[in-house]
Amino acid sequence: VQLQASGGGLVQPGGSLRLSCAASGSIFAVVIGAWYRQAPGKQRDMVPRITRSGDTNYADSVKGRFTISRDNALNTVYLQMKGLKPEDTAVYYCHAEVVTTRGLALNAWGQGTQVTVSS
């Protein structure tokens, strides 16, 4: 199972970015999809998560600005980020709890994508 994250970049404060995380391999289902972020010198924190049925949880710092969504048919999770602030600058990692075609439950991490918010 592999997760491929994309969509990071440099954006000005107040701007928007959309991250994507595509899961591939012998996947039966992506049960939980989530995004984490890690700024230099800080721990990796969960930003939002989404269940297969679409239930979501957001960190307080991003509520109202970030939206997580998923496409179960494509095994892809998205993160729409609006109203970006300099403090959102971090490496963003996608994470998924998946069930494989052999019935195994696995945790997988993407490679990380840099988001920089700066004028």
Side-chain angles (χ1 to χ4, degrees), residues 6 15 33-34 36-37 42 47-48 50 64 67-68 71 78 82 96-97:
S6 61
Y36 287 71
R37 67 185 180 186
K42 296 188 177 181
V47 181
I50 185 168
T67 302
I68 189 171
D71 186 325
Y78 305 97
K82 298 181 179 180
E97 299 175 21

Side-chain angles (χ1 to χ4, degrees), residues 67-114:
T67 302
I68 189 171
S69 61
R70 61 187 295 163
D71 186 325
N72 290 334
L74 296 178
N75 288 328
T76 299
V77 176
Y78 305 97
L79 181 62
Q80 179 68 53
M81 304 183 291
K82 298 181 179 180
L84 283 162
K85 305 175 181 180
E87 51 263 42
D88 294 317
T89 295
V91 178
Y92 283 70
Y93 298 91
C94 60
H95 175 263
E97 299 175 21
V98 303
V99 177
T100 70
T101 53
R102 295 187 176 185
L104 297 175
L106 298 176
N107 285 287
W109 286 95
Q111 82 280 17
T113 184
Q114 177 70 46

Side-chain angles (χ1 to χ4, degrees), residues 3-59:
L3 300 183
Q4 181 67 45
S6 61
L10 173 64
V11 64
Q12 292 185 343
S16 300
L17 281 175
R18 188 191 194 210
L19 306 183
S20 298
C21 177
S24 61
S26 301
I27 298 171
F28 175 74
V30 176
V31 179
I32 302 286
W35 289 93
Y36 287 71
R37 67 185 180 186
Q38 187 168 22
K42 296 188 177 181
Q43 67 181 20
R44 188 177 298 187
D45 292 323
M46 191 275 288
V47 181
R49 65 193 296 266
I50 185 168
T51 68
R52 186 166 179 80
S53 60
D55 294 329
T56 58
N57 294 99
Y58 292 88

